């Protein structure tokens, strides 16, 4: 009778022991599978973060150096001179292999001629913070904000969900050089303006006619006295058209580059600094969301790896003890087989085949149960860690804005207060919708891990059997 047949007969006759081995092995494989799926979820989430976190690098005037130069001027002169970005150089930088897309930004103010801007009144009757009287009409703000962009589809206010096109279309690259404009829904409603209508504005002593091609809805509200105008008074136009209104053709206030891979932002800045005058211009990165997501996800990956190895170690110890008990229980059987001329190697292989049969059944159970349990567990862990970290970072961002900080950060926060929150919501949504499938690779890894545990357990559990002769085995 060969050792494979003996193994089969022993498995089906010792049903209680076989069932116990199946339960223990299934539990071990289930935990290993869950650990591998958690690790897979974290890796997938990291990849999603790279693709959607929206890490940007902004080319703009070096404000820090400009302030330094201003302080060196003669007393009484407090004019801050900020350099404009040359579009030819900006486009050359945009050709970098690290850049996914870019957005040229140019802004100015204007007054309405053929319609009425939304009037915002700030202040209230009573006392001001300085102790003086404050009238209800202390500040009436009716100026228009002209925001020139390459395309609204790559502008943070729209990509983050702060603004949304509700009629017509947004500004596109084909609108460069045209008088096309996108206006806010409330402004259009108050003045009975529809897509296709024409409006007149005055900017820098120039009265121009604009054609409305789209209407957007702004989700943010303006309650700060520092805000220059109501959000409804923001008009989006082609960046080069706004630059012409300002009298600075082929120039822009800043250029925002979106990275293909957030991890390459530092390499991009280092490469492109050689093309700009760093005393006048600066390249600054905004990868807060990517970094805040990366830390918890890497922690989860590390946690998953520890789960796999700890479960593997515990499983090896448990199975080794069971094999030792099994060999001790069948010592007489092993001694008889050795006395009849059976080789020790085949007896060890018999024990191995028995556990391999158990492994086959346990693998089916683990894969069947782990496909759902591991998927749910991994998704919850990734989502929880990401949500907690991003929420914590949002609070720190709000505190830093309330407490002051550098001018650049304050300017960005005032111009688009929903930028960080919008991107956060987008990535949380992607994490929530993360669908994991049990891949062949994961199944092979689980089975391979099971084989490794079983092999080590058999070798450790049959040491006494391998070193003793048949006579001592029977008489011991």
């Amino acid at each position: 009778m060969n050792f494979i047949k003996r193994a089969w007969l022993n498995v089906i006759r010792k049903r209680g022991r076989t069932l116990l081995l199946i339960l223990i092995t299934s539990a071990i494989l289930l935990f290993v599978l869950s650990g591998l799926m958690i690790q897979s979820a974290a890796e997938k989430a990291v990849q999603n973060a790279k693709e959607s976190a929206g890490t940007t690098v902004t080319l703009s005037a070096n404000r820090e150096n400009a302030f330094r130069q201003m302080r060196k001027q003669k007393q009484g002169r407090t004019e801050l001179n900020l350099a404009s970005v040359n579009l030819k150089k900006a486009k050359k930088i945009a050709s970098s292999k690290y850049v996914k897309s870019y957005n040229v930004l140019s802004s100015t103010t204007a007054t309405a001629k053929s319609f009425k801007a939304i009037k915002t009144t700030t202040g209230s009757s009573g006392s001001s913070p300085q102790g003086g009287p404050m009238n209800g009409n202390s500040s009436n703000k009716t100026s228009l904000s002209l925001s020139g962009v390459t395309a609204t589809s790559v502008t943070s206010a729209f990509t983050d969900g702060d603004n949304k096109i509700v009629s017509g279309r947004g500004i596109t690259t084909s609108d460069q050089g045209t008088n096309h404009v996108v206006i806010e829904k409330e402004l259009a409603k108050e003045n009975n303006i529809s897509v296709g209508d024409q409006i007149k504005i005055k900017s820098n002593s120039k009265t121009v006619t604009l054609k409305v091609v789209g209407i957007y809805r702004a989700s943010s509200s303006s309650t700060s006295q520092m805000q220059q105008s109501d959000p409804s008074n923001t008009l989006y136009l082609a960046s080069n058209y706004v630059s012409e209104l300002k009298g600075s053709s082929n120039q822009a206030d800043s250029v925002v580059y979106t990275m293909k891979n957030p991890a390459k932002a530092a390499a991009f800045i280092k490469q492109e600094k050689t093309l700009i005058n760093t005393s006048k211009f600066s390249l600054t990165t905004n990868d807060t969301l990517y970094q805040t997501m990366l830390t918890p996800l890497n922690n989860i990956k590390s946690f998953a790896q520890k789960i796999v190895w700890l479960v593997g170690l515990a499983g090896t110890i448990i199975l080794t003890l069971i094999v030792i008990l099994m060999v001790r229980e069948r010592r007489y059987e092993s001694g008889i087989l050795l006395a009849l001329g059976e080789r020790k190697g085949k007896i060890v292989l018999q024990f191995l085949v028995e556990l391999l049969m158990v492994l086959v059944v346990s693998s089916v159970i683990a894969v069947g149960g782990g496909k759902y349990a591991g998927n749910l567990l991994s998704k919850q862990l990734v989502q929880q860690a990401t949500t907690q970290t991003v929420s914590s970072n949002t609070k720190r961002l709000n505190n830093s804005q309330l407490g002051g900080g550098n001018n650049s950060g304050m300017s960005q926060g005032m111009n688009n207060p929903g930028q960080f929150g919008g991107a956060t919501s987008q990535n949380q949504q992607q994490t929530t919708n993360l669908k994991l499938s049990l891949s062949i690779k994961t199944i092979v890894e689980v089975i391979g891990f099971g084989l490794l545990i079983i092999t080590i357990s058999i070798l450790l559990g049959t040491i006494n059997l391998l070193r003793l002769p048949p006579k001592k085995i029977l008489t011991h």
Side-chain angles (χ1 to χ4, degrees):
M1 185 183 298
N2 60 54
F3 66 91
I4 297 178
K5 187 176 181 179
R6 290 199 306 268
W8 168 250
L9 292 175
N10 197 276
V11 166
I12 60 176
R13 287 175 181 173
K14 302 288 186 179
R15 296 178 182 177
R17 185 185 63 196
T18 301
L19 180 60
L20 176 63
L21 286 171
I22 289 175
L23 291 176
I24 293 174
T25 308
S26 299
I28 294 171
L29 295 183
L30 186 61
F31 279 110
V32 171
L33 181 62
S34 297
L36 292 174
M37 293 191 71
I38 292 171
Q39 187 175 346
S40 175
E43 291 174 351
K44 182 68 175 178
V46 168
Q47 186 61 33
N48 287 345
K50 288 183 179 180
E51 296 173 357
S52 62
T55 294
T56 59
V57 175
T58 302
L59 172 63
S60 60
N62 190 331
R63 293 178 61 86
E64 183 179 350
N65 193 57
F67 274 106
R68 191 181 298 114
Q69 294 298 323
M70 183 185 72
R71 296 186 188 101
K72 291 181 180 179
Q73 294 176 354
K74 294 180 180 180
Q75 188 175 3
R77 295 184 62 187
T78 57
E79 182 180 354
L80 183 65
N81 294 318
L82 297 177
S84 297
V85 177
N86 184 280
L87 291 184
K88 184 177 180 181
K89 185 169 291 185
K91 290 179 180 178
K92 184 177 180 180
I93 294 175
S95 63
S96 170
K97 62 181 180 179
Y98 300 116
V99 176
K100 179 181 179 181
S101 62
Y102 71 99
N103 193 16
V104 179
L105 304 178
S106 185
S107 61
T108 188
T109 58
T111 55
K113 301 298 290 182
S114 62
F115 61 98
K116 293 182 179 180
I118 301 296
K119 185 177 181 180
T120 303
T121 301
T122 61
S124 58
S125 58
S127 298
S128 68
Q130 288 75 23
M134 178 180 289
N135 298 322
N137 295 323
S138 62
S139 178
N140 293 329
K141 300 171 181 177
T142 58
S143 62
L144 300 173
S145 297
L146 305 185
S147 181
V149 299
T150 299
T152 51
S153 60
V154 293
T155 303
S156 60
F158 287 87
T159 57
D160 297 338
D162 204 34
N163 295 342
K164 182 180 180 181
I165 299 294
V166 293
S167 181
R169 62 175 178 82
I171 298 296
T172 65
T173 53
S174 61
D175 290 313
Q176 296 300 314
T178 68
N179 65 340
H180 295 168
V181 64
V182 175
I183 67 174
E184 209 277 327
K185 179 181 177 181
E186 294 302 325
L187 180 65
K189 185 177 180 180
E190 288 296 321
N191 293 276
N192 197 25
I193 299 174
S194 304
V195 174
D197 291 348
Q198 293 186 338
I199 59 176
K200 290 184 178 181
I201 63 170
K202 185 177 182 180
S203 177
N204 299 306
S205 303
K206 300 177 183 177
T207 300
V208 294
T209 301
L210 306 176
K211 181 181 179 180
V212 179
V213 296
I215 297 174
Y216 74 93
R217 182 180 67 246
S219 60
S220 62
S221 60
S222 176
T223 58
S224 173
Q225 294 184 19
M226 296 175 64
Q227 192 81 357
Q228 292 183 353
S229 180
D230 190 276
S232 297
N233 289 333
T234 301
L235 279 58
Y236 288 92
L237 303 93
S239 57
N240 58 2
Y241 188 82
V242 173
S243 296
E244 290 176 5
L245 288 177
K246 295 168 62 177
S248 56
S249 299
N250 298 319
Q251 302 290 323
D253 296 339
S254 62
V255 181
V256 180
Y257 301 96
T258 302
M259 299 290 98
K260 292 179 181 178
N261 185 348
K264 299 296 183 180
F268 169 73
I269 292 176
K270 183 178 179 180
Q271 172 184 287
E272 302 306 329
K273 271 189 174 181
T274 58
L275 299 179
I276 65 172
N277 184 348
T278 55
S279 64
K280 293 184 177 181
F281 301 98
S282 64
L283 285 167
T284 55
T285 182
N286 179 15
D287 61 348
T288 305
L289 180 61
Y290 172 68
Q291 293 298 336
T292 54
M293 291 187 67
L294 196 63
T295 300
L297 293 175
N298 284 334
N299 289 341
I300 289 175
K301 286 175 62 178
S302 176
F303 176 69
Q305 290 174 350
K306 290 177 182 177
I307 286 179
V308 172
W309 289 109
L310 287 175
V311 170
L313 179 61
T316 301
I317 295 173
I318 293 171
L319 283 182
T320 299
L321 293 175
I322 293 175
V323 170
I324 290 174
L325 294 175
M326 185 173 66
V327 172
R328 184 183 296 274
E329 176 189 353
R330 297 166 62 182
R331 181 182 295 273
Y332 185 77
E333 173 192 341
S334 301
I336 294 294
L337 290 173
L338 289 172
L340 293 174
E342 187 69 279
R343 288 180 296 179
K344 292 182 179 180
K346 286 191 175 182
I347 296 178
V348 173
L349 286 175
Q350 177 184 333
F351 291 135
L352 180 61
V353 170
E354 291 178 14
L355 289 183
L356 287 178
M357 293 178 182
V358 170
L359 178 64
V360 172
V361 179
S362 299
S363 298
V364 174
I365 296 174
V367 170
K371 182 178 179 180
Y372 301 100
N375 184 36
L376 180 62
L377 178 60
S378 59
K379 191 164 65 173
Q380 285 179 341
L381 283 174
V382 173
Q383 182 182 354
Q384 181 181 3
T386 304
T387 302
Q388 288 177 348
T389 306
V390 173
S391 176
S392 175
N393 191 79
T394 303
K395 292 179 181 178
R396 290 198 304 268
L397 181 66
N398 292 335
N399 291 335
S400 65
Q401 288 183 354
L402 290 173
N406 59 50
N407 294 326
S408 177
M410 281 297 293
S411 175
Q412 292 176 0
M414 294 306 299
N415 289 337
N416 188 10
Q419 179 177 358
F420 189 84
T424 300
S425 299
Q426 181 183 9
N427 281 275
Q428 286 177 348
Q429 184 67 26
Q430 288 184 349
T431 306
T432 303
N433 294 333
L434 187 63
K435 301 295 182 182
L436 293 180
S437 58
L438 193 59
S439 64
I440 299 297
K441 179 184 176 182
T442 304
I443 296 176
V444 171
E445 287 178 347
V446 170
I447 295 175
F449 216 90
L451 284 172
L452 179 62
I453 292 174
I454 287 175
T455 302
I456 295 174
S457 300
I458 290 293
L459 292 176
L460 294 176
T462 57
I463 290 177
N464 286 333
L465 178 65
L466 292 174
R467 69 182 182 85
L468 295 175
K471 184 177 180 180
K472 286 191 175 181
I473 293 175
L474 290 172
T475 59
H476 186 67

